[in-house]
Amino acid sequence: MHIWVDGDACPNVIKDVLFRAAERLEIPLTLVANKLLRTPPSRFIKALQVPAGFDVADQEIVRLTQPGDLVITADIPLAADVLKKQAYALNPRGEFYTQDNIAQFLTMRDFMDQLRSSGVETGGPAAFSPSDLRQFANQLDRHLRKHAGKS
């Protein structure tokens, strides 16, 4: 298993949780972004900088992801592509994208895009909260216990 992180928009508190988990369980983790991201010194954690451009980081994550890997992303189209590769996708708020819910997420995303393009103010996502962090950490821990074979 490899953990891939869509690093451009991932909250730092989520990265910290991921860094600790990767180190503790000795799981390779790679942040992928179009800017240089700092990582703690670790043989399990690295950053991969890709050229700037629309969806370049997403495309690289999809290219590198293998079945059974875990991808951390809030990008719904990226999550859909990851699922097609038989990998797992978890958003920073602790919700897994699955074959059962991805179509609903994509539909809602498209609907909100249509509203915004027609001039409707939709606001952004709610502020990231401590409960989001707890939910993420709990889901990550459950997933890693089940799929990484360590605790």
Side-chain angles (χ1 to χ4, degrees):
M1 172 193 291
H2 196 113
I3 300 173
W4 301 96
V5 182
D6 185 3
D8 287 320
C10 187
N12 286 332
V13 292
I14 295 298
K15 290 176 193 166
D16 291 341
V17 168
L18 291 164
F19 294 157
R20 287 192 303 272
E23 194 64 31
R24 183 180 79 243
L25 299 173
E26 300 181 352
I27 297 171
L29 179 144
T30 304
L31 298 168
V32 182
N34 58 26
K35 61 186 176 199
L36 186 60
L37 297 176
R38 288 191 170 157
T39 61
S42 169
R43 62 188 178 113
F44 303 106
I45 301 166
K46 68 178 185 174
L48 174 61
Q49 185 176 4
V50 297
F54 183 72
D55 285 345
V56 174
D58 296 354
Q59 292 167 8
E60 187 66 2
I61 291 170
V62 171
R63 186 182 75 76
L64 294 169
T65 297
Q66 299 295 313
D69 285 354
L70 175 62
V71 175
I72 310 302
T73 185
D75 186 296
I76 297 165
L78 171 57
D81 289 341
V82 164
L83 291 174
K84 290 175 190 169
K85 293 195 76 172
Q86 306 301 307
Y88 300 93
L90 176 62
N91 72 34
R93 294 181 188 266
E95 190 166 13
F96 272 98
Y97 300 102
T98 67
Q99 296 297 342
D100 294 333
N101 69 17
I102 195 67
Q104 179 182 349
F105 276 107
L106 286 166
T107 299
M108 182 57 76
R109 176 187 174 274
D110 291 345
F111 175 70
M112 296 304 281
D113 282 348
Q114 287 176 348
L115 285 177
R116 284 188 288 275
S117 66
S118 68
V120 175
E121 286 291 324
T122 60
F128 193 79
S129 71
S131 66
D132 292 327
L133 177 59
R134 279 191 305 278
Q135 173 74 8
F136 177 83
N138 289 338
Q139 288 286 39
L140 178 67
D141 185 57
R142 273 188 227 117
H143 181 82
L144 294 178
R145 274 190 277 129
K146 181 177 181 181
H147 297 282
K150 297 180 182 180
S151 58

